[in-house]
Amino acid sequence: MTTIRIFFEKCGESAYISLLDLQRVFHRVLKRSGLPVWYTMGFNPHIYLSFSCPLSLGQESLCESCEVKTEAESIDPAVWVAALQPLMPRGIVITKVAPAVEKVGEIETAAYEVTMPADAADVLAFYNAAEHAEVTKKTKRGHKTLDIKAYLPRIDYESAGEELHFTVTLPCGSGEALNLNPSLLMDFLHENGGAPAWQCRVLRTHLYTKSGADFA
């Protein structure tokens, strides 16, 4: 049995498809595609499907992926892409299909491009001058206070007309490993005079493994 990883972009209006709905979308698409995916055994067989580091609602990404299994000895990636893409909702673009190489547990960090209104420059200056930037992260065991400055000491941005742009790299582990969602940073900036979430865009551009390589 081979584990296949489907890489895709999730941009525009598809950013508002929740993880649960995204799972339903892929289940339906895979069933309709006729591709040789593996079903679990038991009373209620279903397609094995697992997503890597799913996004928060409203965030976009160029580097999403999910895993399925197949009993086929080999696959033709072009056939899989051609079967899946026409069935996808607007905003989801299949970029690659290939046997899984790295395990999801190898993902350590993620890079994001953030766009905010130009008047958010003041709150970024506040962040850079602050000694601490404490946020509250919800965990399975309750709530935990973290200092984002320990992972992102400074935000350097570029202005472009009525917008400003910056890139951040944050921990993006799974299981017990630390995962810092950029929404924590955006909430901190908003609470300290920044723009509301609907005026900001968060785009995940890369997932990096512990070796520093792109997740594949």
Side-chain angles (χ1 to χ4, degrees):
M1 188 175 298
T2 304
T3 300
I4 303 299
R5 189 163 286 144
I6 302 169
F7 294 86
F8 60 97
E9 297 177 358
K10 185 171 180 274
C11 297
E13 60 197 71
S14 68
Y16 296 95
I17 300 176
S18 68
L19 175 58
L20 183 59
D21 287 334
L22 188 65
Q23 291 171 333
R24 293 179 179 130
V25 165
F26 270 79
H27 272 289
R28 289 196 298 266
V29 167
L30 287 164
K31 285 181 180 179
R32 293 180 60 191
S33 71
L35 292 167
V37 294
W38 178 78
Y39 284 72
T40 61
M41 310 300 287
F43 180 74
N44 184 29
H46 59 274
I47 296 173
Y48 169 84
L49 185 62
S50 176
F51 286 82
S52 310
C53 303
L55 288 166
S56 292
L57 195 68
Q59 295 177 7
E60 301 174 89
S61 177
L62 303 178
C63 55
E64 294 307 281
S65 67
C66 65
E67 294 178 3
V68 296
K69 294 182 183 295
T70 178
E71 293 182 346
E73 294 184 1
S74 62
I75 68 162
D76 183 337
V79 170
W80 278 62
V81 173
L84 294 171
Q85 187 58 62
L87 304 174
M88 287 294 170
R90 187 163 50 196
I92 295 181
V93 178
I94 307 298
T95 56
K96 185 174 72 171
V97 178
V101 178
E102 299 278 5
K103 294 183 178 179
V104 173
E106 288 299 305
I107 297 174
E108 185 172 60
T109 58
Y112 304 88
E113 290 182 359
V114 181
T115 301
M116 301 180 71
D119 58 11
D122 289 342
V123 74
L124 295 183
F126 171 83
Y127 179 91
N128 290 336
E131 185 175 354
H132 301 286
E134 293 186 342
V135 297
T136 301
K137 175 178 171 60
K138 185 183 294 185
T139 69
K140 294 180 179 179
R141 301 176 182 176
H143 292 81
K144 182 178 182 180
T145 300
L146 296 172
D147 185 1
I148 302 180
K149 296 281 283 193
Y151 309 95
L152 184 65
R154 180 178 177 82
I155 298 175
D156 294 314
Y157 65 90
E158 295 182 355
S159 297
E162 297 181 354
E163 296 179 337
L164 58 82
H165 310 270
F166 59 89
T167 301
V168 296
T169 300
L170 297 171
C172 189
S174 55
E176 295 297 320
L178 180 63
N179 184 338
L180 274 185
N181 192 305
S183 62
L184 294 173
L185 171 63
M186 303 309 292
D187 287 345
F188 177 86
L189 295 178
H190 172 57
E191 290 170 4
N192 289 277
W198 60 270
Q199 290 183 310
C200 306
R201 183 192 184 204
V202 177
L203 173 69
R204 186 154 71 188
T205 57
H206 295 278
L207 288 172
Y208 297 113
T209 65
K210 296 172 183 176
S211 67
D214 273 318
F215 178 64

